[in-house]
Amino acid sequence: MDPNAAAMAAVPAEQQQQLLQEIEKMQVRDSLRMYNSLVERCFKDCVESFRRKDLDATEEKCVQSCAAKFMKHSARVGVRFGELSSEAESQMQQMMAQQGTGK
Amino acid sequence: MDPNAAAMAAVPAEQQQQLLQEIEKMQVRDSLRMYNSLVERCFKDCVESFRRKDLDATEEKCVQSCAAKFMKHSARVGVRFGELSSEAESQMQQMMAQQGTGK
Amino acid sequence: MDPNAAAMAAVPAEQQQQLLQEIEKMQVRDSLRMYNSLVERCFKDCVESFRRKDLDATEEKCVQSCAAKFMKHSARVGVRFGELSSEAESQMQQMMAQQGTGK
Amino acid sequence: MAQQGAPDPAMAIEMAKQEMDYRVALFNAMVSSCYEKCIDKRYKDGDLSVGENSCIDRCSSKYWQVTGIVGQMLGAQGGMHQ
Amino acid sequence: MAQQGAPDPAMAIEMAKQEMDYRVALFNAMVSSCYEKCIDKRYKDGDLSVGENSCIDRCSSKYWQVTGIVGQMLGAQGGMHQ
Amino acid sequence: MAQQGAPDPAMAIEMAKQEMDYRVALFNAMVSSCYEKCIDKRYKDGDLSVGENSCIDRCSSKYWQVTGIVGQMLGAQGGMHQ
């Protein structure tokens, strides 16, 4: 079960539109935050010298590899996170069904 | 004087209900943030090896001790924080009374 | 072009008042965050010993220098940030004018 | 999740929002923690190595388990979580 | 706290919220700063030692004093904090 | 910035707010990153040295360039930014 679907189910129909807008806001905010933290991290790891005001070729290459790696990393963690979440979700439902509170 | 009480006093009576809801939201948000930072810290300090996908007994024990220690630490800082806040509060009130602006 | 002005232009006139309030809120929030991070940083760099409960003269001097340096640093980055932003803004406008989409 | 007759729709929205905020924060912490533990910072190229990939999988799994242990302790202690 | 005739109730709520946000952030920073300075990270058991406890007390006190010094400097400089 | 006929004023406010939030976060990250790279932490006095000042200028410029590179990569990848 999609975790967002679970959250939606708990909300009265008339309010779902509002919740969808909140989700969208959150996604924009979150991708901007991700962008910022990506810049911060790759700058920290790749730029060491301040004898010039422009990035040299090595620094530029390093930033590109760093950003590419981070995005792949983040995507992979995303897949695992989804799996772990839905495992937990179905265990929870089984438990509730056994306790007879899941009518 | 309870700091929340001070904040409440500055707010018109009709709005206090709304402020109470804000406080409650803030508390939920804050305990979730605390939970997250606790997990992050104890994971960082206790889990070093990634040759298996499950925590071993040593790691599990370490996480438990870390979390227990953090909670005790946090509670103690909370007590000190409360003392320091009310000291500052009463100094402030004394100062205002002396300046005659505390009518 | 002032970046805030750009943001303002995208917003209908009746809503500008509301946006101004949002900006003000954000500024208060941001200066409190800056204050907090300044304390955190200077505490971390200047206070090492916990054999007493009061700061000694060396620690106090260190905190003052640290805070002064941080504020000067922050102001200088602010100037650079402003220059880089307006450069980027005018490049963007030139590009749009050339593409004929800037009517 | 503990919706014992909470009929107030604004409250329901608020709870759903906090649930999502929490999940986003958990995911972000997992990303950055496992990045620190698993990724070679020399950045020779932009691909993940075989070793990095399997480290990420195990790290995600262990991180999740830590979440569970800490959650149980906090729940036992004061019922703060749910 | 500088409520010179601010009659707008939405404004009063907003100020009270920011005051609380600020206090929470200060407390959290104090917790994590003193954790770094005082706590032995080997986690042999879940209790604080005598030394850790007294370090926490002194650390809290010194952290608070740093808050005061920095606050005064910022206040003198631009009146940003009240 | 992609305002293709978005007539909803609440939406416009929201977008303007996020734009500003983003700029503030970028500025803060630049301040703290360049502080780490450029500032001598011994704090003998409260002034920036000549070397620190020129380091700050170059650091700001390089940080901005990294922003551009990463922005392009993210834009090419999924159009996430704008």
Side-chain angles (χ1 to χ4, degrees), chain E residues 22-65:
Chain E
Y22 161 70
R23 287 176 55 83
V24 168
L26 171 60
F27 174 66
N28 287 340
M30 199 159 142
V31 167
S32 76
S33 297
C34 291
Y35 197 87
E36 286 317 315
K37 299 285 187 187
C38 294
I39 305 298
D40 180 356
K41 310 290 187 302
R42 278 169 297 172
Y43 304 118
K44 288 182 188 166
D45 61 72
D47 290 317
L48 299 171
S49 70
V50 176
E52 285 171 330
N53 272 326
S54 83
C55 179
I56 293 168
D57 294 345
R58 289 162 185 166
C59 179
S60 302
S61 162
K62 285 190 166 187
Y63 197 90
W64 190 267
Q65 288 169 36

Short mmCIF file of all heavy atoms in Angstrom, two decimals, chain E residues 22-65:
data_model
loop_
_atom_site.label_atom_id
_atom_site.label_comp_id
_atom_site.label_asym_id
_atom_site.label_seq_id
_atom_site.Cartn_x
_atom_site.Cartn_y
_atom_site.Cartn_z
N TYR E 22 12.23 29.84 18.82
CA TYR E 22 13.59 30.22 19.16
C TYR E 22 14.08 29.46 20.40
O TYR E 22 15.20 28.95 20.43
CB TYR E 22 13.66 31.73 19.38
CG TYR E 22 14.87 32.12 20.17
CD1 TYR E 22 16.13 32.03 19.60
CD2 TYR E 22 14.75 32.52 21.49
CE1 TYR E 22 17.25 32.35 20.34
CE2 TYR E 22 15.86 32.84 22.23
CZ TYR E 22 17.12 32.75 21.65
OH TYR E 22 18.22 33.04 22.39
N ARG E 23 13.21 29.38 21.42
CA ARG E 23 13.60 28.69 22.65
C ARG E 23 13.85 27.20 22.40
O ARG E 23 14.78 26.62 22.96
CB ARG E 23 12.52 28.87 23.71
CG ARG E 23 12.51 30.30 24.29
CD ARG E 23 11.37 30.46 25.29
NE ARG E 23 11.41 29.48 26.34
CZ ARG E 23 12.16 29.58 27.43
NH1 ARG E 23 12.88 30.64 27.63
NH2 ARG E 23 12.16 28.63 28.34
N VAL E 24 13.01 26.60 21.56
CA VAL E 24 13.21 25.19 21.23
C VAL E 24 14.54 24.99 20.51
O VAL E 24 15.30 24.08 20.82
CB VAL E 24 12.04 24.66 20.36
CG1 VAL E 24 12.36 23.31 19.77
CG2 VAL E 24 10.76 24.59 21.18
N ALA E 25 14.82 25.88 19.55
CA ALA E 25 16.07 25.76 18.80
C ALA E 25 17.28 25.95 19.71
O ALA E 25 18.28 25.23 19.59
CB ALA E 25 16.11 26.77 17.65
N LEU E 26 17.18 26.90 20.64
CA LEU E 26 18.27 27.13 21.60
C LEU E 26 18.48 25.89 22.47
O LEU E 26 19.61 25.43 22.65
CB LEU E 26 17.93 28.34 22.47
CG LEU E 26 18.84 28.62 23.68
CD1 LEU E 26 20.27 28.85 23.23
CD2 LEU E 26 18.35 29.83 24.47
N PHE E 27 17.39 25.34 22.97
CA PHE E 27 17.50 24.14 23.79
C PHE E 27 18.13 22.98 23.00
O PHE E 27 19.05 22.32 23.50
CB PHE E 27 16.11 23.74 24.32
CG PHE E 27 16.10 22.44 25.05
CD1 PHE E 27 16.77 22.30 26.25
CD2 PHE E 27 15.44 21.34 24.52
CE1 PHE E 27 16.78 21.09 26.94
CE2 PHE E 27 15.44 20.12 25.20
CZ PHE E 27 16.11 20.00 26.41
N ASN E 28 17.65 22.77 21.78
CA ASN E 28 18.21 21.68 20.98
C ASN E 28 19.70 21.87 20.71
O ASN E 28 20.47 20.90 20.77
CB ASN E 28 17.46 21.56 19.65
CG ASN E 28 16.08 20.98 19.83
OD1 ASN E 28 15.77 20.33 20.82
ND2 ASN E 28 15.20 21.22 18.85
N ALA E 29 20.10 23.11 20.46
CA ALA E 29 21.52 23.37 20.20
C ALA E 29 22.35 23.10 21.46
O ALA E 29 23.46 22.59 21.39
CB ALA E 29 21.71 24.80 19.72
N MET E 30 21.78 23.45 22.60
CA MET E 30 22.46 23.22 23.87
C MET E 30 22.61 21.72 24.13
O MET E 30 23.68 21.26 24.54
CB MET E 30 21.63 23.87 24.97
CG MET E 30 22.34 24.14 26.25
SD MET E 30 21.38 25.46 27.14
CE MET E 30 21.54 24.86 28.82
N VAL E 31 21.55 20.98 23.86
CA VAL E 31 21.61 19.52 24.03
C VAL E 31 22.71 18.93 23.16
O VAL E 31 23.56 18.19 23.63
CB VAL E 31 20.25 18.86 23.69
CG1 VAL E 31 20.39 17.35 23.56
CG2 VAL E 31 19.21 19.19 24.76
N SER E 32 22.72 19.29 21.88
CA SER E 32 23.69 18.61 21.02
C SER E 32 25.10 19.12 21.26
O SER E 32 26.05 18.34 21.22
CB SER E 32 23.27 18.66 19.56
OG SER E 32 23.51 19.91 19.02
N SER E 33 25.27 20.41 21.56
CA SER E 33 26.62 20.91 21.85
C SER E 33 27.20 20.24 23.10
O SER E 33 28.36 19.83 23.10
CB SER E 33 26.60 22.43 22.06
OG SER E 33 26.18 23.08 20.89
N CYS E 34 26.40 20.16 24.15
CA CYS E 34 26.92 19.58 25.39
C CYS E 34 27.08 18.06 25.26
O CYS E 34 27.95 17.47 25.90
CB CYS E 34 26.04 19.95 26.58
SG CYS E 34 26.16 21.72 26.96
N TYR E 35 26.28 17.44 24.41
CA TYR E 35 26.48 16.01 24.14
C TYR E 35 27.87 15.80 23.54
O TYR E 35 28.63 14.94 23.99
CB TYR E 35 25.40 15.50 23.20
CG TYR E 35 25.28 14.00 23.21
CD1 TYR E 35 24.48 13.34 24.13
CD2 TYR E 35 25.98 13.22 22.28
CE1 TYR E 35 24.37 11.96 24.14
CE2 TYR E 35 25.88 11.84 22.29
CZ TYR E 35 25.06 11.22 23.22
OH TYR E 35 24.96 9.85 23.23
N GLU E 36 28.21 16.60 22.54
CA GLU E 36 29.53 16.47 21.91
C GLU E 36 30.65 16.68 22.93
O GLU E 36 31.65 15.96 22.91
CB GLU E 36 29.69 17.51 20.79
CG GLU E 36 28.92 17.20 19.53
CD GLU E 36 29.01 15.74 19.12
OE1 GLU E 36 30.11 15.16 19.15
OE2 GLU E 36 27.95 15.15 18.81
N LYS E 37 30.50 17.69 23.79
CA LYS E 37 31.58 18.03 24.72
C LYS E 37 31.70 17.04 25.88
O LYS E 37 32.80 16.81 26.38
CB LYS E 37 31.34 19.43 25.31
CG LYS E 37 31.32 20.58 24.31
CD LYS E 37 32.70 20.95 23.79
CE LYS E 37 32.67 22.22 22.93
NZ LYS E 37 33.97 22.50 22.28
N CYS E 38 30.59 16.48 26.32
CA CYS E 38 30.60 15.76 27.62
C CYS E 38 30.46 14.24 27.56
O CYS E 38 30.88 13.57 28.51
CB CYS E 38 29.48 16.29 28.52
SG CYS E 38 29.70 18.02 29.02
N ILE E 39 29.88 13.71 26.52
CA ILE E 39 29.49 12.29 26.58
C ILE E 39 30.54 11.36 25.95
O ILE E 39 30.99 11.59 24.83
CB ILE E 39 28.12 12.08 25.91
CG1 ILE E 39 27.06 12.99 26.54
CG2 ILE E 39 27.70 10.62 25.99
CD1 ILE E 39 26.80 12.74 28.01
N ASP E 40 30.87 10.34 26.70
CA ASP E 40 31.78 9.30 26.22
C ASP E 40 31.01 8.44 25.20
O ASP E 40 30.00 7.81 25.53
CB ASP E 40 32.21 8.44 27.41
CG ASP E 40 33.15 7.32 27.00
OD1 ASP E 40 33.40 7.14 25.79
OD2 ASP E 40 33.62 6.60 27.91
N LYS E 41 31.54 8.40 23.94
CA LYS E 41 30.79 7.74 22.87
C LYS E 41 31.02 6.23 22.78
O LYS E 41 30.63 5.61 21.78
CB LYS E 41 31.14 8.38 21.51
CG LYS E 41 31.07 9.89 21.45
CD LYS E 41 29.66 10.42 21.53
CE LYS E 41 29.62 11.93 21.28
NZ LYS E 41 30.46 12.75 22.23
N ARG E 42 31.65 5.65 23.79
CA ARG E 42 31.86 4.20 23.69
C ARG E 42 30.63 3.40 24.13
O ARG E 42 30.50 2.24 23.83
CB ARG E 42 33.09 3.79 24.50
CG ARG E 42 34.39 4.03 23.69
CD ARG E 42 35.59 3.89 24.57
NE ARG E 42 35.59 4.91 25.63
CZ ARG E 42 36.45 4.94 26.64
NH1 ARG E 42 37.36 3.98 26.75
NH2 ARG E 42 36.39 5.91 27.54
N TYR E 43 29.73 4.03 24.83
CA TYR E 43 28.43 3.45 25.20
C TYR E 43 28.54 2.07 25.83
O TYR E 43 27.94 1.10 25.36
CB TYR E 43 27.52 3.37 23.97
CG TYR E 43 27.33 4.70 23.31
CD1 TYR E 43 27.74 4.92 21.99
CD2 TYR E 43 26.75 5.76 24.00
CE1 TYR E 43 27.58 6.16 21.38
CE2 TYR E 43 26.58 7.00 23.38
CZ TYR E 43 27.00 7.18 22.09
OH TYR E 43 26.84 8.39 21.49
N LYS E 44 29.35 1.99 26.90
CA LYS E 44 29.43 0.70 27.61
C LYS E 44 28.11 0.37 28.27
O LYS E 44 27.70 -0.77 28.32
CB LYS E 44 30.54 0.76 28.66
CG LYS E 44 31.91 0.75 28.01
CD LYS E 44 33.01 0.77 29.04
CE LYS E 44 34.36 0.96 28.35
NZ LYS E 44 35.41 1.31 29.32
N ASP E 45 27.48 1.38 28.85
CA ASP E 45 26.13 1.13 29.36
C ASP E 45 25.29 2.39 29.15
O ASP E 45 25.77 3.37 28.57
CB ASP E 45 26.15 0.74 30.84
CG ASP E 45 26.74 1.82 31.68
OD1 ASP E 45 26.08 2.85 31.87
OD2 ASP E 45 27.90 1.65 32.14
N GLY E 46 24.06 2.34 29.59
CA GLY E 46 23.13 3.43 29.30
C GLY E 46 23.05 4.51 30.37
O GLY E 46 22.13 5.33 30.34
N ASP E 47 24.00 4.48 31.33
CA ASP E 47 23.93 5.49 32.40
C ASP E 47 24.97 6.58 32.22
O ASP E 47 26.04 6.36 31.66
CB ASP E 47 24.14 4.81 33.76
CG ASP E 47 22.94 3.95 34.11
OD1 ASP E 47 21.80 4.43 33.89
OD2 ASP E 47 23.15 2.80 34.57
N LEU E 48 24.65 7.75 32.73
CA LEU E 48 25.62 8.84 32.74
C LEU E 48 26.54 8.66 33.94
O LEU E 48 26.08 8.38 35.05
CB LEU E 48 24.89 10.18 32.86
CG LEU E 48 23.93 10.52 31.71
CD1 LEU E 48 23.11 11.76 32.06
CD2 LEU E 48 24.67 10.73 30.40
N SER E 49 27.84 8.84 33.74
CA SER E 49 28.78 8.75 34.86
C SER E 49 28.73 10.04 35.68
O SER E 49 28.16 11.04 35.23
CB SER E 49 30.19 8.55 34.32
OG SER E 49 30.64 9.74 33.71
N VAL E 50 29.36 10.00 36.87
CA VAL E 50 29.43 11.20 37.70
C VAL E 50 30.10 12.35 36.94
O VAL E 50 29.63 13.49 36.95
CB VAL E 50 30.23 10.92 38.99
CG1 VAL E 50 30.40 12.20 39.81
CG2 VAL E 50 29.55 9.84 39.82
N GLY E 51 31.19 12.02 36.26
CA GLY E 51 31.91 13.04 35.51
C GLY E 51 31.05 13.62 34.40
O GLY E 51 31.06 14.84 34.16
N GLU E 52 30.33 12.77 33.69
CA GLU E 52 29.46 13.27 32.63
C GLU E 52 28.38 14.19 33.19
O GLU E 52 28.11 15.25 32.64
CB GLU E 52 28.82 12.09 31.87
CG GLU E 52 29.82 11.38 30.94
CD GLU E 52 29.27 10.08 30.35
OE1 GLU E 52 28.43 9.42 31.01
OE2 GLU E 52 29.67 9.72 29.24
N ASN E 53 27.80 13.78 34.30
CA ASN E 53 26.75 14.62 34.89
C ASN E 53 27.25 16.00 35.27
O ASN E 53 26.60 17.01 34.99
CB ASN E 53 26.14 13.92 36.12
CG ASN E 53 24.98 13.02 35.73
OD1 ASN E 53 24.24 13.33 34.80
ND2 ASN E 53 24.83 11.91 36.44
N SER E 54 28.45 16.06 35.89
CA SER E 54 28.87 17.40 36.29
C SER E 54 29.32 18.19 35.07
O SER E 54 29.17 19.42 35.02
CB SER E 54 29.93 17.34 37.39
OG SER E 54 31.19 17.14 36.83
N CYS E 55 29.85 17.52 34.07
CA CYS E 55 30.20 18.20 32.82
C CYS E 55 28.94 18.82 32.20
O CYS E 55 28.96 19.96 31.72
CB CYS E 55 30.87 17.23 31.85
SG CYS E 55 31.32 17.98 30.26
N ILE E 56 27.85 18.08 32.19
CA ILE E 56 26.59 18.58 31.60
C ILE E 56 26.14 19.87 32.31
O ILE E 56 25.75 20.85 31.67
CB ILE E 56 25.48 17.52 31.67
CG1 ILE E 56 25.83 16.33 30.77
CG2 ILE E 56 24.12 18.10 31.26
CD1 ILE E 56 24.95 15.10 30.98
N ASP E 57 26.22 19.85 33.65
CA ASP E 57 25.80 21.04 34.39
C ASP E 57 26.64 22.27 34.05
O ASP E 57 26.11 23.35 33.79
CB ASP E 57 25.90 20.79 35.91
CG ASP E 57 24.91 19.72 36.36
OD1 ASP E 57 23.98 19.40 35.60
OD2 ASP E 57 25.07 19.20 37.49
N ARG E 58 27.95 22.08 34.01
CA ARG E 58 28.83 23.21 33.70
C ARG E 58 28.69 23.65 32.26
O ARG E 58 28.74 24.84 31.94
CB ARG E 58 30.28 22.83 34.01
CG ARG E 58 30.52 22.70 35.50
CD ARG E 58 31.77 21.93 35.80
NE ARG E 58 31.90 21.73 37.24
CZ ARG E 58 32.75 20.86 37.79
NH1 ARG E 58 33.55 20.13 37.02
NH2 ARG E 58 32.81 20.74 39.11
N CYS E 59 28.54 22.66 31.40
CA CYS E 59 28.39 22.96 29.97
C CYS E 59 27.13 23.79 29.74
O CYS E 59 27.16 24.78 29.01
CB CYS E 59 28.34 21.65 29.18
SG CYS E 59 28.15 21.89 27.42
N SER E 60 26.02 23.40 30.37
CA SER E 60 24.77 24.15 30.21
C SER E 60 24.96 25.59 30.65
O SER E 60 24.53 26.53 29.98
CB SER E 60 23.66 23.52 31.05
OG SER E 60 23.47 22.17 30.69
N SER E 61 25.63 25.74 31.79
CA SER E 61 25.84 27.08 32.33
C SER E 61 26.72 27.92 31.39
O SER E 61 26.40 29.08 31.08
CB SER E 61 26.48 26.95 33.71
OG SER E 61 27.06 28.14 34.11
N LYS E 62 27.79 27.34 30.89
CA LYS E 62 28.66 28.09 29.98
C LYS E 62 27.97 28.38 28.64
O LYS E 62 28.16 29.46 28.07
CB LYS E 62 29.97 27.30 29.73
CG LYS E 62 30.93 27.35 30.91
CD LYS E 62 32.31 26.79 30.54
CE LYS E 62 33.35 27.16 31.60
NZ LYS E 62 34.72 26.78 31.19
N TYR E 63 27.20 27.44 28.18
CA TYR E 63 26.49 27.67 26.91
C TYR E 63 25.57 28.87 27.05
O TYR E 63 25.50 29.73 26.18
CB TYR E 63 25.68 26.43 26.50
CG TYR E 63 25.27 26.46 25.05
CD1 TYR E 63 26.09 25.92 24.07
CD2 TYR E 63 24.09 27.07 24.65
CE1 TYR E 63 25.75 25.97 22.74
CE2 TYR E 63 23.73 27.14 23.31
CZ TYR E 63 24.57 26.57 22.36
OH TYR E 63 24.23 26.64 21.03
N TRP E 64 24.87 28.90 28.18
CA TRP E 64 23.95 30.01 28.45
C TRP E 64 24.70 31.35 28.47
O TRP E 64 24.24 32.36 27.94
CB TRP E 64 23.25 29.76 29.79
CG TRP E 64 22.12 30.68 30.07
CD1 TRP E 64 22.18 31.86 30.76
CD2 TRP E 64 20.76 30.53 29.66
NE1 TRP E 64 20.94 32.43 30.81
CE2 TRP E 64 20.05 31.63 30.15
CE3 TRP E 64 20.07 29.54 28.93
CZ2 TRP E 64 18.67 31.80 29.94
CZ3 TRP E 64 18.71 29.71 28.72
CH2 TRP E 64 18.02 30.82 29.21
N GLN E 65 25.88 31.35 29.07
CA GLN E 65 26.67 32.58 29.12
C GLN E 65 27.10 33.03 27.73
O GLN E 65 27.12 34.23 27.43
CB GLN E 65 27.89 32.39 30.03
CG GLN E 65 27.51 32.32 31.51
CD GLN E 65 28.67 31.87 32.39
OE1 GLN E 65 29.81 32.19 32.16
NE2 GLN E 65 28.36 31.10 33.42
#
